[in-house]
């Protein structure tokens, strides 16, 4: 009976993906769905691999396909919200495919009970790891492929290096909606020569749980440990500090010692925790407080240190840096910038060497009501809502439509 459920779900998926509707190949992420179908067929051909984890993946897959079929009824380009939904589905499908591959690869090592248990264990760990990897960020960015942030970079740079507050600690918050470019802006600032000359050390800290870390470890502990490692403290030393010097209190004291007397720059990317422990980063340790009472006590004051916190949640950012130190990142207002992001994405994803820009413009225009290139640039800007991520998704959407037609 159990295998009948999986085969029924597979049949639903195939019917939804290979229907008689000629426009079925126009659904978002069509090629991803087809690639997953191939892996699924291999798995289902081996009855020993059919278990609860496979059933869960089939449910998730059918839900994603239903969402994409609904979106496919849209004519022309998608809205910013729809583009972000497609991007989420793209990442979910990538995760599903990786998990299915793990099931298939384990089948090649045998299909006894021990192996079946190992399959479930591996799928669970990869699922958790991949979910965190989707949120993991780095300090690297190709500045030549970034458009429309010049004013924001200058504003942030002035906040960081202004002379009148050179020796004072300052915390700055960067706030904006998903896909607007908060991380990109901070990457640009982080790597500016002027910023490099003014701050040492500089570390980039993702505020999500480390995908390679221990799931049961307190997030506060994990973040401070991560910061110490980035500052050059050996992992074994960090472990001994935590074990031998009263846990989080010892870690924050060690962080303070690593930073004291230095003009440091720390980016806390993707802040989302509402716990007041993360708040008021400009606070100093007092006699009535302990080291582990607040994140702020790990940051020395009085030597010109800087902390930048990015967050989608304005209240979280205000709690951390104060209302006066918020930089609101707004959607791109220049159609040329949105077009450049769109065009770069198409160029990066194109598969036809003979596709020149003039041809691309004509084909893109066929999806819109634009009569000339300037109108097309404006329409793309309006359709993506000025969100860089949405402009990238539009570029991917057009590439898929062009090469699947």
């Amino acid at each position: 009976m159990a295998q009948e459920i999986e085969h029924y779900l597979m049949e639903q998926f195939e019917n939804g993906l290979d229907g008689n509707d000629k426009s079925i190949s126009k659904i978002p992420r069509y090629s991803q769905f087809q690639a997953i179908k191939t892996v699924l067929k291999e798995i289902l051909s081996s009855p020993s691999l059919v278990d609860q984890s496979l059933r869960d993946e089939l449910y998730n897959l059918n839900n994603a396909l239903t969402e994409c079929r609904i979106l496919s009824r849209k004519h022309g380009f998608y809205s910013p919200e729809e583009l972000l939904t497609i991007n989420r589905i793209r990442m979910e499908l990538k995760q599903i495919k990786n998990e299915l591959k793990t099931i298939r690869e384990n089948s090649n090592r045998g299909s006894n009970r021990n192996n079946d248990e190992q399959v479930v264990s591996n799928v669970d760990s990869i699922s958790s790891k991949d979910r965190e990897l989707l949120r993991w960020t780095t300090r690297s960015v190709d500045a030549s492929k970034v458009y429309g942030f010049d004013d924001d970079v200058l504003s942030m740079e002035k906040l960081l290096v202004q002379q009148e507050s050179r020796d004072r600690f300052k915390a700055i918050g960067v706030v904006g909606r998903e896909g607007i470019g908060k991380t990109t802006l901070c990457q640009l600032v982080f790597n500016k020569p002027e910023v490099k000359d003014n701050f040492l050390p500089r570390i980039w800290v993702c505020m999500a749980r480390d995908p390679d870390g221990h799931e049961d470890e307190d997030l506060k502990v994990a973040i401070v440990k991560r910061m110490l490692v980035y500052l050059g403290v050996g992992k074994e030393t960090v472990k001994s500090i935590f074990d031998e010097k009263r846990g989080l209190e010892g870690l924050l004291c060690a962080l303070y010692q690593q930073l004291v007397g230095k003009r440091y720059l720390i980016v806390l990317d993707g802040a989302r925790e509402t716990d007041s422990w993360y708040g008021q980063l400009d606070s100093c340790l007092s006699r009535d407080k302990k080291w582990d009472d607040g994140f702020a006590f790990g940051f020395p004051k009085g030597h010109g240190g800087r902390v930048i916190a990015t967050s989608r949640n304005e209240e979280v950012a205000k709690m951390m840096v104060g209302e006066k130190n918020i930089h609101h990142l707004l959607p791109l207002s220049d159609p040329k910038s949105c077009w450049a992001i769109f065009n770069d994405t198409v160029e990066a994803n194109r598969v036809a060497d003979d596709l020149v820009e003039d041809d691309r413009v004509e084909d893109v225009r066929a999806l819109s009501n634009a009569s000339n290139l300037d109108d097309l640039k404006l329409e793309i800007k309006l359709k993506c809502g000025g969100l860089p991520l949405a402009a990238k998704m539009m570029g991917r959407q057009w590439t898929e439509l062009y090469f699947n037609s």
Side-chain angles (χ1 to χ4, degrees):
M1 177 64 182
Q3 291 186 15
E4 290 179 6
I5 295 175
E6 278 75 21
H7 283 280
Y8 170 73
L9 292 171
M10 179 63 179
E11 184 178 351
Q12 275 193 317
F13 175 61
E14 289 186 300
N15 290 340
L17 191 60
D18 303 326
N20 295 325
D21 186 354
K22 293 182 179 180
S23 65
I24 193 70
S25 63
K26 304 296 185 183
I27 70 169
R29 315 314 309 169
Y30 177 76
S31 59
Q32 262 188 297
F33 283 115
Q34 287 288 359
I36 288 173
K37 184 178 75 170
T38 300
V39 179
L40 274 170
K41 283 185 173 181
E42 294 179 28
I43 293 173
L44 287 168
S45 66
S46 177
S48 63
L49 292 180
V50 179
D51 59 19
Q52 182 62 47
S53 64
L54 179 61
R55 186 184 306 175
D56 292 341
E57 297 307 328
L58 282 163
Y59 278 124
N60 294 334
L61 198 56
N62 276 302
N63 289 338
L65 180 58
T66 299
E67 280 192 89
C68 286
R69 285 179 65 92
I70 293 172
L71 286 168
S72 69
R73 298 169 188 167
K74 176 94 174 183
H75 296 289
F77 288 119
Y78 298 109
S79 69
E81 290 73 19
E82 290 165 336
L83 288 165
L84 293 175
T85 296
I86 293 171
N87 190 53
R88 171 181 57 78
I89 292 172
R90 176 181 67 85
M91 294 188 290
E92 289 175 356
L93 293 180
K94 183 178 180 181
Q95 176 183 322
I96 289 172
K97 186 178 180 182
N98 286 338
E99 292 171 355
L100 292 175
K101 282 184 174 180
T102 300
I103 294 175
R104 183 187 63 187
E105 288 165 3
N106 274 276
S107 73
N108 295 331
R109 304 189 190 107
S111 57
N112 56 41
R113 181 179 178 182
N114 289 336
N115 281 348
D116 287 343
E117 291 174 355
Q118 185 65 37
V119 168
V120 175
S121 174
N122 286 348
V123 168
D124 287 342
S125 65
I126 289 177
S127 174
S128 174
K129 185 172 180 177
D130 281 353
R131 277 194 293 271
E132 294 304 333
L133 282 170
L134 298 180
R135 299 205 297 255
W136 205 251
T137 54
T138 72
R139 64 185 187 182
S140 303
V141 66
D142 182 355
S144 68
K145 299 296 183 182
V146 179
Y147 307 93
F149 285 91
D150 292 349
D151 290 342
D152 292 289
V153 171
L154 286 173
S155 177
M156 288 289 295
E157 193 176 347
K158 287 179 180 178
L159 286 172
L160 289 174
V161 301
Q162 56 186 336
Q163 293 301 313
E164 60 269 21
S165 61
R166 180 176 176 82
D167 295 326
R168 297 207 317 264
F169 171 86
K170 176 176 284 189
I172 303 165
V174 179
V175 174
R177 61 177 295 187
E178 178 187 6
I180 205 166
K182 301 180 294 296
T183 296
T184 299
L185 170 62
C186 290
Q187 288 169 333
L188 291 171
V189 173
F190 190 87
N191 291 299
K192 289 280 288 184
E194 296 86 345
V195 172
K196 289 181 178 180
D197 290 343
N198 274 274
F199 298 99
L200 187 71
R202 296 174 306 118
I203 61 171
W204 185 282
V205 185
C206 178
M207 296 293 280
R209 186 173 296 280
D210 187 342
D212 294 318
H214 300 289
E215 290 294 325
D216 58 347
E217 185 173 51
D218 182 82
L219 184 58
K220 297 171 186 176
V221 171
I223 288 173
V224 182
K225 280 185 176 181
R226 188 179 309 157
M227 295 174 73
L228 287 169
V229 171
Y230 292 168
L231 288 167
V233 182
K235 289 185 178 181
E236 288 302 316
T237 302
V238 171
K239 185 176 183 299
S240 67
I241 291 172
F242 179 72
D243 292 340
E244 299 171 11
K245 296 186 178 180
R246 295 176 296 175
L248 182 58
E249 183 175 15
L251 293 174
L252 283 167
C253 181
L255 177 63
Y256 182 94
Q257 293 298 327
Q258 286 293 316
L259 296 174
V260 69
K262 301 173 183 177
R263 282 178 55 80
Y264 55 85
L265 172 62
I266 299 174
V267 177
L268 305 174
D269 192 30
R272 67 198 73 185
E273 300 297 325
T274 57
D275 190 329
S276 61
W277 183 85
Y278 296 91
Q280 298 181 317
L281 292 180
D282 60 350
S283 300
C284 296
L285 184 64
S286 56
R287 290 184 178 180
D288 61 334
K289 297 288 184 180
K290 296 187 299 181
W291 278 103
D292 57 355
D293 283 342
F295 194 23
F297 303 150
F299 301 109
K301 313 302 190 293
H303 300 281
R306 300 284 188 268
V307 174
I308 302 175
T310 76
S311 183
R312 298 178 194 174
N313 188 325
E314 184 168 352
E315 294 308 311
V316 167
K318 286 180 179 178
M319 176 190 72
M320 296 178 74
V321 308
E323 191 168 356
K324 294 181 180 179
N325 295 320
I326 298 292
H327 180 88
H328 291 93
L329 191 56
L330 302 176
L332 299 175
S333 59
D334 180 13
K336 292 181 180 178
S337 296
C338 297
W339 169 257
I341 295 170
F342 172 91
N343 207 36
D344 278 353
T345 305
V346 172
E347 180 67 23
N349 288 279
R350 70 187 180 95
V351 296
D353 291 335
D354 58 347
L355 183 64
V356 297
E357 183 169 359
D358 288 344
D359 293 334
R360 184 157 66 245
V361 169
E362 289 302 318
D363 288 313
V364 173
R365 194 182 299 160
L367 290 174
S368 70
N369 299 315
S371 58
N372 56 56
L373 180 56
D374 287 339
D375 287 346
L376 180 59
K377 291 179 180 179
L378 179 59
E379 182 170 348
I380 287 176
K381 182 258 178 183
L382 294 173
K383 291 289 186 180
C384 74
L387 300 181
L389 178 58
K392 288 182 179 180
M393 291 305 301
M394 287 179 70
R396 289 178 183 151
Q397 174 202 351
W398 179 86
T399 305
E400 290 180 358
L401 288 171
Y402 185 90
F403 292 112
N404 284 333
S405 58

